[in-house]
Every structure is written in C-alpha cells, then in structure tokens.
Amino acid sequence: MVQTVSLLGVTAILDAPDGVLAPARRRLDDVVHALADPVPIWDHGAARWGDPIYVRLRGALTARSAGCRAVASSRPPMRIDVLNLLVAIDTAVAEWEPGEKGSTVDRLHALAGRKFRPQDCQLLDDYSDRIEGWALSAAELLGDRSIAVPLRMACPSCGQRYTYRRNGAAEIVRTDALRVDEAGCDCSACGAVWEPAEFHWLARLLGCEALPAV
C-alpha cells in the first residue's frame, strides 16, 4: 500500500507494504461479532439480546419449512444449504485455530483475540472476507434483514459510544451503541431510532458526509 503525505508543499511517498494493523484488527472484531455474538433486537421499544447468527444457523439445520414433505417424526428434514454452510464454517475455523478446544464460536473468539503483526494485515483481511461472506450467507438463509454496521461514534441523542453486556462465558463485552442497516439506525444504549429518510440529517449530527453503505 502506498501512502501520500504532504508537508510544506512537498509530497513524500511512503511505502507501507505491511498495511495498517489497527483497522484490519477492528474489521476482524466486527465480522466475528456479526457472526458469533448475540445481537440486539428491538421489540416495541424494548431491547433484548437474540442468539448469534451462527447459533441460529445450527438451529435451522433441522428446522421444518412450509415446503417440506412429511417424514418420520424421528428423523426431521435437514436443510442441505444450511449444512453446507456450517461444514464450510466449521472446517475453515478449525484449520485457523487447530489448538483451540471448544465450539466454532469459541475458536472465532480465539482468532479475534490472537496477536497479529503489521505484516499480517493481508491475512487478517482474508479472514474477515471469509467470515463476512459467511455472515451474509447465513442471514440470507435465515431470512434476516441486512447485517447491521457499527458506527464508531457517540450517539447524538444520549452521548454514549458503547454498551456493555455479558457473553456466554459471563464476560463483560463492549459493543458499539450505534448500528445502522438498510432499515434504519438505532442506539442500543438509549433506544433512539432514525429512519432511512433521516440518514442525511443523522450524518450531519455525527459530523460525517454520509453513513456507511449497508
């Protein structure tokens, strides 16, 4: 990657072959969160935590659909499309974290917590690309709306940047309060909601030109 720096009218070209580590790590954290962590669900103005997409995908493996033919009750129908995605996820993540015991979710968290070097940026991007693709495919198979994108800014309504919750291991996990998708933007700290028609106004409140594409 090449970075251009202008100083006193003189432009210097700085080679940065190792990439920028912090954004690459942040992206990996975000995609692991999207696939493997509980998600906030707003129901009539109240927030609750829903199962992670990966857990719901496992639950959908033998879920009956309206179009299934009747089969013996002892052998529920299996969704081959869900099975293929689960096999792809489990196989790849086990190869990435071969020494980590536990579930695929545990291995994904171990991957996100691993120490990386600046020269690992391309490897991080490869991990993120795969995980992001799985999350999007899973959301499509589950009939979900688009994946929410975290906004790393304080909520203009309550001023909170983060919310805190306990994960399955009873650990305190910090997440971005503001998240946006094609249906709107909401704050999991105060419950404020902005419709897509208000995105331009919200971007001005946040001091940015536009919200990220979702």
Side-chain angles (χ1 to χ4, degrees), residues 1-2 5 17 50 57 61 71 84 112 116 136 167 178 181 185 202:
M1 184 177 68
V2 176
V5 178
L57 192 66
L61 183 58
V71 296
N84 289 337
F116 292 96
L136 293 173
N167 61 14
L178 284 181
D181 63 20
C185 178
L202 177 59

Side-chain angles (χ1 to χ4, degrees), residues 145-151 179-186 194-196 199 211-214:
R145 66 183 188 177
S146 60
I147 302 291
V149 177
L151 296 180
R179 302 184 70 84
V180 61
D181 63 20
E182 63 183 12
C185 178
D186 62 68
W194 293 267
E195 301 296 329
F199 279 2
L211 299 185
V214 292

Side-chain angles (χ1 to χ4, degrees), residues 17-37:
D18 293 337
V20 181
L21 184 59
R25 285 197 60 95
R26 189 161 55 240
R27 184 190 174 206
L28 179 63
D29 289 340
D30 288 343
V31 295
V32 167
H33 171 73
L35 182 64
D37 288 346

